[in-house]
């Protein structure tokens, strides 16, 4: 945009309504803080979606703010690396789960015969008459070995039961602003009514982005007029639900396992990434067959306010 095309005009005069609204909100946050405001955003520019990291700083003149200085850096490549790492983590998590299951099964399979061996040795130990000193010593050694093996098996099974999944990096997300930015890309002219929560959450941002953006995109494609995003705390997880007033899902609809959606990371990948983190993605049974659709997913996280 050339200066002569934008000078003296309001943001909403030169930008789509939703994009302008988000910019006003970010500038207002900078002014309110009086120290600065930084954020990441996904913008559709020149027909391509690009990630940007922006830092805004207030400019003071005497005792008031007279302007805002901003620097924006494209971080699309970094986001691509983040995506690759998340997919690698999904694969490692899947392998880890398989190994855990194999170890647990093996431990359970061993425990039965070992308990039988312990029972036999205990029965022999109850009647040591007629056994020599060396036989008694061997019997006690056998009982000791079996007891130690059983303790190790029980300890391993308990560790598997209480295992901690592969750690993920969690960060704070302003869910209201995040939803507004996605709405600005998917509905730049503001034709639809969006309702979203206004709170800050802490979770793995990348998985939130993939999961929630897929659901919002599908809702926008199928809704007639409204898209509603809700969030609630469910134990140590957060549950996010996206609803619309479109035709809904067919009765026989099944969530896809492949990637046929946004940017190569569709609902199939979202489902696998979420499940790899002990989460879940599902369609509300009450919306099957319409009218309207409601899809939810839960991931580890915390609503902060």
């Amino acid at each position: 945009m050339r200066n002569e095309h934008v000078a003296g005009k309001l943001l909403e005069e030169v930008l789509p309504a939703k994009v302008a609204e988000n910019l006003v909100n970010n500038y207002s946050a900078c002014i309110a803080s009086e120290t600065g405001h930084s954020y990441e955003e996904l913008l559709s520019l020149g027909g391509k979606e690009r990630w940007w990291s922006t830092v805004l700083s207030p400019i003071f003149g005497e005792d008031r703010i007279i302007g805002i200085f901003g620097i924006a850096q494209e971080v699309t490549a970094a986001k691509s690396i983040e995506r690759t790492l998340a997919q690698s983590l999904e694969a490692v998590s899947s392998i880890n789960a398989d190994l855990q299951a194999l170890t647990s099964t093996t431990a359970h399979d061993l425990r039965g015969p070992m308990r039988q061996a312990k029972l036999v040795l205990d029965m022999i130990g109850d009647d040591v008459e007629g056994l020599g000193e060396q036989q008694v010593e061997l019997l006690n050694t056998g009982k000791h070995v079996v007891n130690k093996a059983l303790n190790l098996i029980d300890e391993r099974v308990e560790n598997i039961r209480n295992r901690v999944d592969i750690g993920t990096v969690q960060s704070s997300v302003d869910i209201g602003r995040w939803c507004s930015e996605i709405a600005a890309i998917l509905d730049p002219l503001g034709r639809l009514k969006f309702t979203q929560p206004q709170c800050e959450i802490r979770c793995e941002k990348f998985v939130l982005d993939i999961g929630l953006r897929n659901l919002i995109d599908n809702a926008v494609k199928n809704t007639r007029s409204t898209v509603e995003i809700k969030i609630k705390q469910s134990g140590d997880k957060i549950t996010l639900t996206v609803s619309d007033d479109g035709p809904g899902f067919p009765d026989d609809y099944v969530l896809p396992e492949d990637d046929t959606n946004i940017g190569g990371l569709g609902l199939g990948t979202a489902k696998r990434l979420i499940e790899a983190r002990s989460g879940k993605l599902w369609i509300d049974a009450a919306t099957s067959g319409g009218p309207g659709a409601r899809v939810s997913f839960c991931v580890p996280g915390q609503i902060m306010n």
Side-chain angles (χ1 to χ4, degrees), residues 42 76 81 86 121 171 199 263 265:
L42 182 63
T76 307
I81 294 173
L121 290 173
S171 54
C199 62
L265 284 181

Side-chain angles (χ1 to χ4, degrees), residues 27 37-41 52-57 68-74:
Y27 295 159
H37 180 55
S38 60
Y39 57 94
E40 288 184 350
E41 60 184 340
W52 295 84
S53 176
T54 301
V55 178
L56 302 177
S57 299
I68 294 175
F69 178 74
I71 298 177
Q73 179 181 11
E74 186 178 355

Side-chain angles (χ1 to χ4, degrees), residues 18-19 22-23 26 39-45 47-54 73-77 79-80 83 177-188 205-206 209-210 212-214 217 262-263 265:
K18 284 289 184 180
V19 177
N22 287 334
L23 283 174
N26 285 322
Y39 57 94
E40 288 184 350
E41 60 184 340
L42 182 63
L43 300 175
S44 180
L45 302 172
K48 293 183 178 181
E49 293 180 354
R50 296 182 172 92
W51 280 96
W52 295 84
S53 176
T54 301
Q73 179 181 11
E74 186 178 355
V75 292
T76 307
K79 285 292 180 180
S80 177
R83 178 184 67 185
R177 185 180 68 80
W178 190 92
C179 289
S180 294
E181 290 177 356
I182 297 302
I185 294 174
L186 300 177
D187 179 38
K205 191 189 298 184
F206 178 76
D209 176 50
I210 295 301
L212 194 53
R213 186 160 180 249
N214 266 278
D217 178 73
I262 305 169
L265 284 181

Side-chain angles (χ1 to χ4, degrees), residues 11-270:
L11 285 172
E12 53 265 33
E13 294 180 281
V14 294
L15 295 171
K18 284 289 184 180
V19 177
E21 179 184 341
N22 287 334
L23 283 174
V24 170
N25 290 337
N26 285 322
Y27 295 159
S28 298
C30 173
I31 294 171
S33 71
E34 295 188 347
T35 57
H37 180 55
S38 60
Y39 57 94
E40 288 184 350
E41 60 184 340
L42 182 63
L43 300 175
S44 180
L45 302 172
K48 293 183 178 181
E49 293 180 354
R50 296 182 172 92
W51 280 96
W52 295 84
S53 176
T54 301
V55 178
L56 302 177
S57 299
I59 301 171
F60 288 87
E62 296 182 355
D63 60 347
R64 66 187 184 91
I65 296 174
I66 60 172
I68 294 175
F69 178 74
I71 298 177
Q73 179 181 11
E74 186 178 355
V75 292
T76 307
K79 285 292 180 180
S80 177
I81 294 173
E82 187 178 286
R83 178 184 67 185
T84 302
L85 290 174
Q87 290 175 307
S88 299
L89 179 59
E90 174 203 346
V92 172
S93 297
S94 178
I95 294 171
N96 182 58
D98 290 342
L99 289 174
Q100 294 283 358
L102 176 62
T103 305
S104 179
T105 301
T106 303
H108 279 289
D109 289 345
L110 284 173
R111 185 157 48 178
M114 292 299 290
R115 288 194 184 281
Q116 290 297 320
K118 181 179 184 301
L119 179 62
V120 171
L121 290 173
D122 286 342
M123 290 173 64
I124 296 174
D126 290 339
D127 185 14
V128 294
E129 293 183 11
L131 294 178
E133 183 179 338
Q134 187 175 8
Q135 284 84 1
V136 172
E137 184 178 347
L138 288 172
L139 177 63
N140 290 332
T141 300
K143 290 170 68 175
H144 174 72
V145 170
V146 170
N147 284 330
K148 185 175 181 180
L150 279 171
N151 288 335
L152 287 173
I153 291 172
D154 289 341
E155 180 181 340
R156 180 56 183 159
V157 171
E158 188 64 23
N159 286 340
I160 293 171
R161 225 179 253 132
N162 299 324
R163 74 180 179 86
V164 179
D165 290 331
I166 294 175
T168 54
V169 178
Q170 294 192 348
S171 54
S172 296
V173 179
D174 183 338
I175 193 69
R177 185 180 68 80
W178 190 92
C179 289
S180 294
E181 290 177 356
I182 297 302
I185 294 174
L186 300 177
D187 179 38
L189 300 180
R191 294 191 176 101
L192 303 175
K193 179 184 178 182
F194 280 83
T195 304
Q196 65 261 355
Q198 299 297 328
C199 62
E200 187 171 309
I201 62 175
R202 189 165 184 81
C203 66
E204 190 180 359
K205 191 189 298 184
F206 178 76
V207 175
L208 173 75
D209 176 50
I210 295 301
L212 194 53
R213 186 160 180 249
N214 266 278
L215 300 194
I216 295 175
D217 178 73
N218 288 333
V220 168
K221 288 177 180 177
N222 295 284
T223 193
R224 285 192 291 266
S225 60
T226 64
V227 175
E228 183 178 32
I229 302 106
K230 290 185 177 180
I231 186 171
K232 68 176 181 178
Q233 191 75 45
S234 307
D236 61 349
K237 294 181 174 66
I238 51 174
T239 298
L240 294 116
T241 301
V242 178
S243 306
D244 65 70
D245 62 351
F249 294 97
D251 289 329
D252 58 350
Y253 181 81
V254 178
L255 285 169
E257 296 296 334
D258 59 348
D259 289 331
T260 56
N261 208 343
I262 305 169
L265 284 181
L267 209 53
T269 289

